[in-house]
Amino acid sequence: MNIHEYQAKAVLKEFGVPVSHGKAIFKPEDAAAAAKELGGPIWVVKSQIHAGGRGKGTFKEPEAGDKGGVRLAKSVEEVETFARQMLGNTLVTVQTGPAGKQVHRLYIEDGSEIATELYVSILVDRSTSRISFVVSTEGGMDIEAVAHATPEKIITFAVDPATGIMPHHGRTLARALGLTGDLAKQAGTLTEQLYTAFVTKDMTMLEINPLVVTKDGKLRCLDAKIAFEGNSLYRHPDMVALRDLTEEDDKEIEASKYDLSYVALDGTIGCMVNGAGLAMATMDIIKLYGEEPANFLDVGGGASKEKVTAAFKIITADPNVKGILINIFGGIMKCDVLAEGVIAAVKEVGLNVPLVVRLEGTNVDKGKAIINASGLNVISADDLDDAAQKIVNAVKGAR
Ligand code: GDP
Ligand code: MN
């Protein structure tokens, strides 16, 4: 789960992390009051969307002087003007895709005078099973581009879970960022605060880009991005409360209500599979035969008829879906339960695209009998290879 920058900064502030003063607003009418309260003389008006690259982004309805989704304002009037231009407008950045994201919230901050921009992030490194810091002197830029062009400018180090964060980690971070004297001391404190926040809140990623040195010699986090581990959210109801559903895919929200592992993709073939490995293999084989999957969907082991019905409805509601492939290897999941769920869903929402079903395993004969008796226009398949070819041909034939 992701949260907005202003929410991330509020979380970090609880741990003592230095961030600017700011106010979140939802309506342009509130911009002037927020700006006056913060005081100025410079402000930063920041679009709040769950995507980076806002500063270099562009709005769909540009106005004169449009300068991206993060702008410096020099007067209360300017803050107000920017707020009017940004709120309700759609911001396109390298991370949003061409459709962009509509801006519903703004964060207005006290502007900082920047001397240097640095990069710090913390993540779980799966190859070492440790929490790792990734730091670079090249802050404020696209870090992927830095990693590609000048990998030597990115320094990483891991924290041993047995010791937790230690003073030497802070010194390593300071050295990597070229910070000395009082700034090195501040870096030491910050390293500990960020790590503690990361572990306490069960984050999977915490990215500060940029971390800046201000002209008066202070470290400050000017941007903050946090992702939380989904499996730990039950321990953090206060973080769950920060979830912004307008940032999430409607189909994924619906799937999460039924505890379905669903990820929306942009292809044409809807997939309903049991087991994550089989779901990935199904997506691969669809691609192998020249089409693209419209989703990843694992209905899980002991899926009920209701869950299967919900899953089928989510797939058919996607207008990009031109064909559906059901691939079930029945173990705990029984083929007859699957068949009943699919038929219940089709009765409710209809079926306007070709459907290929490949069933194998527990109660396969019962499952096939239920589908055959239903009168549904189903193309049956013998194995994964056969199923993939049949759905790809059916979709291509319909074009
Ligand atoms: P992003 O483009 O989505 O990563 O948004 P950021 O919050 O990182 O802002 C983009 C850029 O705006 C930063 O890299 C800074 O150069 C600039 N910026 C953000 N806040 C301030 C500020 O308080 N003062 C100044 N001078 N520049 C800022
Ligand atoms: Mn940034």
Side-chain angles (χ1 to χ4, degrees):
M1 186 191 89
N2 299 320
I3 58 176
H4 288 292
E5 173 201 359
Y6 77 95
Q7 298 166 325
K9 284 178 171 171
V11 172
L12 295 177
K13 207 173 169 182
E14 285 174 38
F15 294 86
V17 174
V19 293
S20 307
H21 292 295
K23 287 199 85 66
I25 62 161
F26 296 76
K27 302 194 295 278
E29 301 87 271
D30 297 335
K36 279 181 198 146
E37 201 182 314
L38 291 168
I42 52 167
W43 295 264
V44 197
V45 185
K46 313 189 78 173
S47 305
Q48 299 296 292
I49 54 171
H50 286 188
R54 297 163 302 165
K56 293 200 175 73
T58 48
F59 282 101
K60 284 238 158 135
E61 289 163 40
E63 300 198 25
D66 188 338
K67 294 187 300 290
V70 174
R71 299 185 205 170
L72 275 181
K74 296 193 181 63
S75 67
V76 172
E77 291 69 40
E78 213 175 4
V79 171
E80 229 182 332
T81 307
F82 291 162
R84 269 181 221 296
Q85 291 171 350
M86 291 183 187
L87 277 169
N89 208 335
T90 299
L91 181 60
V92 182
T93 81
V94 286
Q95 291 185 10
T96 60
K101 283 196 162 180
Q102 201 177 13
V103 178
H104 301 290
R105 309 174 188 204
L106 291 182
Y107 193 44
I108 302 174
E109 263 193 350
D110 253 343
S112 304
E113 289 204 87
I114 302 175
T116 38
E117 300 194 39
L118 310 166
Y119 177 94
V120 174
S121 68
I122 311 181
L123 43 84
V124 181
D125 182 346
R126 286 163 191 251
S127 62
T128 57
S129 309
R130 290 188 176 182
I131 293 173
S132 295
F133 281 77
V134 178
V135 301
S136 176
T137 51
E138 308 304 295
M141 297 186 228
D142 178 1
I143 198 67
E144 283 84 3
V146 176
H148 188 71
T150 46
E152 71 281 3
K153 289 192 171 162
I154 294 185
I155 293 169
T156 66
F157 58 92
V159 178
D160 188 329
T163 64
I165 198 80
M166 305 272 280
H168 71 83
H169 294 120
R171 291 194 291 275
T172 303
L173 183 133
R175 205 177 320 119
L177 294 178
L179 302 172
T180 53
D182 184 58
L183 279 168
K185 221 171 122 188
Q186 292 180 47
T189 310
L190 180 68
T191 304
E192 196 182 320
Q193 290 165 335
L194 292 176
Y195 180 85
T196 307
F198 188 93
V199 173
T200 310
K201 298 292 186 188
D202 289 316
M203 298 177 192
T204 53
M205 208 259 323
L206 167 58
E207 184 182 58
I208 311 296
N209 187 22
L211 165 70
V212 300
V213 179
T214 60
K215 289 211 169 128
D216 55 358
K218 298 270 183 281
L219 280 184
R220 187 178 278 184
C221 300
L222 282 203
D223 192 8
K225 186 173 177 186
I226 293 180
F228 296 99
E229 167 57 49
N231 291 319
S232 301
L233 286 173
Y234 74 98
R235 302 204 284 211
H236 305 289
D238 51 338
M239 298 298 108
V240 175
L242 301 176
R243 191 171 169 195
D244 179 358
L245 292 178
T246 64
E247 289 284 340
E248 296 178 28
D249 184 280
D250 287 340
K251 299 186 292 297
E252 291 181 11
I253 294 170
E254 189 62 20
S256 70
K257 287 185 196 157
Y258 292 92
D259 207 21
L260 293 161
S261 302
Y262 174 92
V263 181
L265 301 168
D266 42 22
T268 54
I269 297 182
C271 308
M272 180 144 90
V273 189
N274 68 322
L278 189 58
M280 286 195 280
T282 305
M283 289 159 56
D284 280 349
I285 202 161
I286 287 170
K287 279 171 168 288
L288 181 70
Y289 286 112
E291 284 292 324
E292 295 285 325
N295 64 279
F296 167 92
L297 171 62
D298 170 13
V299 289
S304 63
K305 180 182 148 192
E306 287 68 36
K307 214 166 152 175
V308 170
T309 309
F312 198 82
K313 281 202 238 168
I314 291 165
I315 292 175
T316 49
D318 180 350
N320 294 326
V321 168
K322 302 291 178 249
I324 299 172
L325 172 55
I326 295 180
N327 184 21
I328 299 292
F329 193 89
I332 301 170
M333 170 98 224
K334 296 187 185 71
C335 293
D336 54 327
V337 172
L338 179 279
E340 280 173 0
V342 169
I343 287 160
V346 170
K347 274 193 186 136
E348 251 183 80
V349 297
L351 180 66
N352 304 316
V353 295
L355 170 65
V356 171
V357 179
R358 180 258 176 158
L359 295 178
E360 197 52 80
T362 309
N363 293 356
V364 60
D365 295 334
K366 260 172 137 181
K368 282 185 174 165
I370 291 169
I371 287 182
N372 290 338
S374 71
L376 273 186
N377 186 14
V378 173
I379 307 165
S380 65
D382 300 324
D383 56 34
L384 182 48
D385 197 58
D386 183 41
Q389 291 189 52
K390 279 179 172 157
I391 191 62
V392 167
N393 289 338
V395 167
K396 282 191 172 150
R399 276 210 190 105

